[in-house]
Amino acid sequence: MVMRHFYLRHLAIPLTLLFALFYLFDGLGWDLLCSDAYFDASLGLWPYKHSWWANELLHDGGRNLILVIAATSLLLFALSFSRHSHWRQARRTTGYLLLCIALGTGLTAVGKKVSHRHCPKQYQRYGGTIPYQPILAPNNTHQATTHGDRGRCFPAGHASGAFSLIGLYFIGQRRSRTFALAGLSFSMILGLLFTFGQLVRGAHFISHSIATIILCWTIAVLLAPLVMNPDEQPLSTTHLE
């Protein structure tokens, strides 16, 4: 019953809301409204495509930040196998975070290869050559495969590094609700910044990042028992709230 309650709260309810949000952006056209705001149709270009803050700061700098976090986690995980008891205590949390990062970014990369969805800048609406159709359109596979150029743009790969840190939410729950919310806020704010940087460059629709959140959240929840202390009934309401 405890596990069922845990997954109901952390999978069923959040994923229902996220899928509804995905439908709003992809199915009802909110993606186009947001991307249109950063595309200059009169000039046929994305004004911020080569801006330093979208490229060097949010894209390159953001990628390097995730690499530093992953490398630090890997170092701490390796040190946890030493004789020093302090490092041994970090084994479960760092191992869990590494799995979240590896699976979140890795499965997103696989999704980009098999989905064949294009980036906004490749669609005719934004100066490209591919006719746009929503992901939820029944014939989107036909559209993506009859023009020779298979897309590699779904889900959002750059944002996956930030959203894979959603695992910090469950790590934080071992201490307090404040730590949990701080970890979740860090991941979400960073991911939204990455999403905005890609949006203004014509590199991704917002729905692409929503799909990435769905994937990374699911991974973090399914692996969450790895960081729960089995001696403290970790899945109880006390620990999760």
Side-chain angles (χ1 to χ4, degrees), residues 125-157:
R125 186 185 185 97
Y126 303 113
T129 60
I130 306 298
Y132 173 78
Q133 287 185 349
I135 294 172
L136 298 177
N139 59 340
N140 69 73
T141 301
H142 176 74
Q143 175 267 334
T145 59
T146 57
H147 289 80
D149 181 19
R150 292 176 176 266
R152 296 289 187 272
C153 212
F154 178 84

Side-chain angles (χ1 to χ4, degrees), residues 36-55:
D36 286 353
Y38 297 98
F39 179 73
D40 191 329
S42 62
L43 298 177
L45 53 81
W46 300 85
Y48 302 107
K49 182 177 181 179
H50 300 293
S51 61
W52 72 269
W53 57 268
N55 287 275

Side-chain angles (χ1 to χ4, degrees), residues 115-134:
S115 65
H116 306 314
R117 293 297 303 181
H118 297 82
C119 304
K121 58 189 175 184
Q122 295 174 297
Y123 289 112
Q124 292 174 349
R125 186 185 185 97
Y126 303 113
T129 60
I130 306 298
Y132 173 78
Q133 287 185 349

Side-chain angles (χ1 to χ4, degrees), residues 126-205:
Y126 303 113
T129 60
I130 306 298
Y132 173 78
Q133 287 185 349
I135 294 172
L136 298 177
N139 59 340
N140 69 73
T141 301
H142 176 74
Q143 175 267 334
T145 59
T146 57
H147 289 80
D149 181 19
R150 292 176 176 266
R152 296 289 187 272
C153 212
F154 178 84
H158 183 53
S160 68
F163 291 131
S164 67
L165 301 179
I166 286 174
L168 292 173
Y169 173 67
F170 296 100
I171 292 175
Q173 286 183 10
R174 298 190 66 185
R175 301 195 60 177
S176 70
R177 181 180 179 84
T178 300
F179 277 92
L181 293 178
L184 180 62
S185 298
F186 174 72
S187 173
M188 294 302 297
I189 291 173
L190 191 63
L192 291 176
L193 286 174
F194 288 4
T195 297
F196 180 70
Q198 295 295 73
L199 171 68
V200 303
R201 298 171 66 236
H204 280 294
F205 287 122

